[in-house]
Amino acid sequence: MKIFQDSTQQSFSGLSECQLASGKDKSRSMDVKNMREYMGWLYYQYLLITGIYVLEPWEKSIFNTVLFTMVAMVVYTSYVFVPIHVRLALEFFSGLCGEQPESTVALMS
Amino acid sequence: MTESAVNKEANGDVCQHRAVNGVKPGRSSALKEQQCHQRFVYKHDEKFHQSECNGGLYSKPFIESFEETPMLVAVLTYMGYGILTIFGYLRDFLRQWKIEKCHIAREREEQKDFVPLYQDFENFYTRNLYMRIRDSWNRPICSVPGDKMDLVERVSHDYNWTFSYTGRVVKDVINMGSYNYLGFAEKSGCCADAAAEVTLKHGVGVSSTRQEMGNLDRHEELEKLIARFLGVEAAMAFGMGFATNSMNIPALAGKGCLILSDELNHASLVLGARLSGSTIRVFKHNNMQSLEKLLRDAIVHGQPRTHRPWKKILILVEGIYSMEGSIVRLPEVIALKKKYKAYLYLDEAHSIGALGPRGRGVVDYFNLDPTDVDIMMGTFTKSFGAAGGYIGGRKELIDYLRSHSHSAVYATSMSPPIVEQIFTSMKCIMGEDGTTIGRDRIQRLAENTNYFRRRLREMGFIIYGNYDSPVVPLMLYLPAKIGAFGREMLKRNIGVVVVGFPATPIIESRARFCVSAAHTKETLDTALSAISEVGDLLQVKYSRHRTLPSLDRPYDETTYEESED
């Protein structure tokens, strides 16, 4: 439960930044009575900041779907490709670092 | 165009007054002046309120704050508008292909091949953004708009395209939106009684113009009273406040004249200036460097092409700017006007009655001589709870206007009950009715204004404008928050005015409160706690200036006490 909450907070980091930027620690007084209420409040903030508060329900769902799809794709892509790239990069750099002394030795000799 | 030249060096007389304060002004002090101006307008330190520039001209501290928009909020605002615009295009596309029904006016089938009528941004905005939050505007009321009012409840089942009335009434909504500064909009009391009596005696109108049969003795008496109230030689009353501006400026200025107009002037002044056919140049809002630059250029270069001198130079300013809540820097404007021999037209629509220890507007507020202002214009719509406008000034000016102004020649004269309402309320403000009601109300308004503004600042909202102005704009910025703020406040039984794009720059949406003398402290406290609650809910407490609540506050006592000795 705690982890889930943390992850939601991270995913709404834009929001919490906004809160911080607005410099209102008082907004903490909205503090979590329970999880459900807090999630409702976060969703309300999300509606207001993106401006989809004023849209009709079907438009809201389009926006949410598009945004969710995009986020999901980004997450999935990074899940699939980031480890590969990291491994390749590591190999590349270790190759560089490994080769260097050899070649200097070769030059020396 | 001289507007661009404004940014350039402007080493003028305005800032050289600082010499009084012991600061030696350099000859080419463009940089210094820029700083001086910036410190003036974007005040970062709340305690730093003694005006640095021209301190010598002001009899009291002139504190005005326009806190800059936080960067993140500005970005989010643009993003919000971006998203809404995309959906607007989507809806327009659906309407175009007849996938959804179009509720709003559009070209008829036979007009399809002509120039499109509803294509520009304003129409797009109305159709796709304003319509969605339209329920926060134009709410019908069914009682006198005093400190509280009754609203006709309405619902919309098709997302604000149409409204239907439920037949119920929302009772006792706290009214934070009326320009009822002195609380003279009431259904009982001396003004209402006098107006009712006169209605029975004189009827509601004479259906003729002042120049023909419409001139009643009461009109003349009213004009004498106005002149006495303003401290000018003569005055003239008109039946419509907007027309007072838009029809009299053309009588005063014409071809070959130059009008210098503040960029945030009301539409009536803008219309009047355009109708006059004179050249119009716009100076930055309340920026005396900009005004002086324009005046100087106008005198040096004269009219374009011919380089003949301008026949007249007329400066148009307002007393209180209704969207920014700022008060004109009148002492500096008058100093400039005298220096460059220009004429000054002061529109006191909001400030008359609402400012000054005696309620006589911005001239009284700064304790200046009314005869320094060439044309004093104002309306009766706000503080007096009536309708119409007036122009005051020298006798020659008023005589000239009587015969030349369109609204004197063609407009129907004022209705007697309205004249009576103005008469009674003005007497009341002047204290000539034998009571202290007027004085108490002016005092009450000043107290309410200071209290309301101070509390809002302490809560952490961004509040624009002068600390003494009863117009209090609270910045909302994000488009969705405009609608949400109006709705949430109505849920808490408070009626507010929210202002969006066409009236303000697109990112500076705001809610505007008008403090009234009719509000009691309890009413204001109720409103303030609701505003704070909604502010937390919507996260609109953007201000980054920390004001410590109730720690050395110089604004606690009323403003006018020291000036009345």
Side-chain angles (χ1 to χ4, degrees):
Chain A
M1 200 65 172
K2 184 80 178 78
I3 297 161
F4 180 47
Q5 192 187 335
D6 284 346
S7 67
T8 48
Q9 265 178 345
Q10 264 173 12
S11 68
F12 286 96
S13 61
L15 274 168
S16 49
E17 260 172 39
C18 174
Q19 268 167 245
L20 289 175
S22 61
K24 281 298 112 198
D25 40 6
K26 256 183 246 167
S27 63
R28 284 287 132 203
S29 67
M30 295 293 296
D31 236 17
V32 207
K33 284 207 192 68
N34 55 50
M35 191 64 195
R36 203 179 164 75
E37 208 171 284
Y38 182 63
M39 290 301 291
W41 182 78
L42 271 184
Y43 182 64
Y44 190 69
Q45 296 304 313
Y46 160 73
L47 290 183
L48 285 175
I49 284 176
T50 51
I52 60 171
Y53 171 84
V54 301
L55 298 185
E56 291 171 24
W58 66 269
E59 289 168 312
K60 267 183 205 157
S61 46
I62 288 181
F63 182 83
N64 285 336
T65 316
V66 170
L67 191 71
F68 180 77
T69 319
M70 273 162 59
V71 170
M73 273 154 67
V74 168
V75 168
Y76 178 74
T77 320
S78 47
Y79 171 73
V80 171
F81 291 105
V82 166
I84 299 172
H85 282 289
V86 168
R87 193 165 50 79
L88 285 174
L90 276 175
E91 269 174 24
F92 176 70
F93 283 113
S94 64
L96 270 184
C97 297
E99 260 174 14
Q100 207 117 17
E102 256 178 48
S103 56
T104 40
V105 168
L107 266 174
M108 289 284 279
S109 64
Chain B
M1 290 301 285
T2 30
E3 274 125 286
S4 57
V6 162
N7 297 325
K8 288 188 225 149
E9 180 187 42
N11 47 349
D13 182 64
V14 167
C15 261
Q16 286 179 11
H17 280 286
R18 278 184 307 164
V20 178
N21 294 345
V23 185
K24 195 175 189 308
R27 186 68 198 129
S28 58
S29 55
L31 183 72
K32 216 181 264 176
E33 272 180 14
Q34 200 115 27
Q35 284 175 342
C36 153
H37 168 64
Q38 287 212 334
R39 226 182 307 153
F40 221 144
V41 178
Y42 307 106
K43 202 143 296 150
H44 290 285
D45 185 2
E46 292 286 335
K47 291 206 188 68
F48 180 79
H49 55 70
Q50 278 292 347
S51 46
E52 281 282 308
C53 305
N54 299 322
L57 286 178
Y58 292 94
S59 55
K60 62 176 80 180
F62 186 81
I63 321 156
E64 212 157 69
S65 74
F66 295 95
E67 195 176 332
E68 66 274 55
T69 313
M71 179 58 83
L72 183 65
V73 176
V75 171
L76 290 174
T77 308
Y78 281 119
M79 190 193 76
Y81 275 112
I83 292 168
L84 292 181
T85 310
I86 291 169
F87 277 97
Y89 278 118
L90 173 70
R91 298 297 290 270
D92 272 359
F93 175 81
L94 295 180
R95 284 183 202 117
Q96 172 104 38
W97 291 94
K98 307 240 167 50
I99 299 169
E100 78 165 300
K101 193 169 171 291
C102 183
H103 297 275
I104 205 165
R106 64 193 310 186
E107 293 93 344
R108 278 177 290 162
E109 207 51 55
E110 60 267 32
Q111 292 174 324
K112 283 287 186 226
D113 298 327
F114 288 83
V115 181
L117 295 174
Y118 303 107
Q119 206 180 34
D120 58 349
F121 181 72
E122 273 73 13
N123 283 305
F124 179 85
Y125 183 89
T126 311
R127 205 163 50 222
N128 295 311
L129 282 89
Y130 169 70
M131 268 299 165
R132 299 177 190 274
I133 49 175
R134 193 159 74 112
D135 56 327
S136 297
W137 281 272
N138 303 329
R139 290 180 185 140
I141 66 169
C142 56
S143 74
V144 63
D147 63 329
K148 296 199 173 150
M149 59 185 175
D150 299 339
L151 289 186
V152 185
E153 195 182 64
R154 57 178 189 180
V155 288
S156 176
H157 299 293
D158 52 0
Y159 303 100
N160 293 345
W161 287 103
T162 59
F163 289 103
S164 56
Y165 297 110
T166 57
R168 284 189 295 274
V169 169
V170 190
K171 285 268 181 200
D172 287 336
V173 178
I174 294 176
N175 181 6
M176 295 305 298
S178 291
Y179 298 135
N180 181 20
Y181 298 121
L182 292 180
F184 280 112
E186 32 187 20
K187 58 183 174 189
S188 57
C190 55
C191 299
D193 294 344
E197 198 182 307
V198 166
T199 316
L200 293 176
K201 206 165 138 197
H202 285 102
V204 289
V206 281
S207 316
S208 182
T209 69
R210 291 291 297 279
Q211 285 200 346
E212 289 163 4
M213 280 96 81
N215 198 20
L216 302 181
D217 54 347
R218 211 56 179 156
H219 289 130
E220 311 241 328
E221 283 171 40
L222 177 69
E223 284 171 355
K224 287 204 185 79
L225 184 73
I226 298 167
R228 207 143 51 77
F229 179 69
L230 296 172
V232 293
E233 282 177 22
M236 183 177 187
F238 301 90
M240 177 178 165
F242 191 99
T244 312
N245 274 335
S246 56
M247 293 289 106
N248 282 308
I249 297 172
L252 295 167
K255 203 161 149 278
C257 299
L258 174 68
I259 289 181
L260 299 178
S261 169
D262 192 291
E263 64 180 343
L264 295 179
N265 271 344
H266 186 250
S268 57
L269 288 167
V270 175
L271 179 67
R274 286 187 185 159
L275 286 179
S276 73
S278 1
T279 308
I280 304 166
R281 287 185 188 153
V282 180
F283 61 93
K284 286 187 200 156
H285 174 57
N286 232 349
N287 184 335
M288 292 305 120
Q289 280 77 38
S290 172
L291 174 60
E292 180 168 33
K293 175 76 182 150
L294 289 187
L295 275 169
R296 196 174 270 249
D297 280 356
I299 287 168
V300 171
H301 299 300
Q303 299 187 32
R305 218 153 43 80
T306 59
H307 296 291
R308 286 185 193 138
W310 294 100
K311 286 183 190 161
K312 266 177 256 173
I313 299 179
L314 184 67
I315 304 170
L316 297 187
V317 288
E318 283 186 54
I320 294 181
Y321 291 85
S322 64
M323 283 300 162
E324 310 293 301
S326 51
I327 296 177
V328 65
R329 299 175 178 280
L330 196 62
E332 291 173 68
V333 176
I334 288 181
L336 280 180
K337 168 217 125 141
K338 282 183 177 162
K339 186 182 173 199
Y340 292 98
K341 308 279 185 293
Y343 295 95
L344 177 58
Y345 185 107
L346 175 64
D347 177 350
E348 294 215 79
H350 288 267
S351 55
I352 192 77
L355 276 185
R358 297 177 304 153
R360 293 173 194 195
V362 67
V363 178
D364 189 24
Y365 175 76
F366 289 115
N367 206 7
L368 297 165
D369 185 5
T371 49
D372 281 341
V373 182
D374 300 288
I375 303 127
M376 303 259 277
M377 180 272 164
T379 60
F380 303 122
T381 327
K382 279 102 186 178
S383 298
F384 301 96
Y390 66 80
I391 280 196
R394 293 217 321 279
K395 182 141 193 327
E396 297 85 48
L397 170 84
I398 302 301
D399 286 344
Y400 173 79
L401 282 180
R402 258 182 228 289
S403 49
H404 285 85
S405 156
H406 298 311
S407 59
V409 181
Y410 302 115
T412 319
S413 71
M414 263 177 148
S415 156
I418 291 178
V419 172
E420 201 56 34
Q421 163 83 17
I422 301 163
F423 207 84
T424 327
S425 53
M426 197 175 275
K427 284 244 171 198
C428 195
I429 296 171
M430 293 166 84
E432 290 186 3
D433 59 343
T435 64
T436 56
I437 298 174
R439 195 180 193 76
D440 293 345
R441 288 191 183 196
I442 293 166
Q443 192 80 19
R444 165 113 245 148
L445 176 66
E447 281 166 21
N448 281 353
T449 303
N450 281 344
Y451 177 69
F452 195 72
R453 277 189 169 262
R454 178 168 57 78
R455 286 289 304 276
L456 284 182
R457 268 199 314 279
E458 282 171 4
M459 285 173 192
F461 292 106
I462 293 189
I463 302 294
Y464 270 11
N466 193 294
Y467 283 20
D468 288 327
S469 133
V471 181
V472 188
L474 182 153
M475 302 312 286
L476 299 173
Y477 298 111
L478 293 157
K481 287 183 183 176
I482 310 172
F485 193 83
R487 286 174 200 170
E488 290 295 331
M489 290 303 280
L490 188 61
K491 260 186 218 165
R492 287 160 180 77
N493 238 22
I494 293 164
V496 296
V497 174
V498 281
V499 192
F501 159 62
T504 65
I506 195 143
I507 71 157
E508 290 182 6
S509 310
R510 60 196 71 177
R512 189 189 53 189
F513 306 105
C514 293
V515 183
S516 159
H519 293 132
T520 58
K521 190 157 178 298
E522 290 74 48
T523 319
L524 285 183
D525 279 332
T526 321
L528 282 165
S529 62
I531 293 167
S532 181
E533 199 183 313
V534 175
D536 281 330
L537 179 67
L538 305 188
Q539 295 287 305
V540 289
K541 296 185 174 177
Y542 299 119
S543 178
R544 287 168 299 181
H545 297 177
R546 302 269 175 170
T547 37
L548 299 172
S550 54
L551 228 163
D552 75 321
R553 39 173 195 241
Y555 325 113
D556 205 9
E557 72 269 20
T558 51
T559 345
Y560 301 132
E561 267 163 10
E562 67 240 63
S563 59
E564 263 174 20
D565 51 4

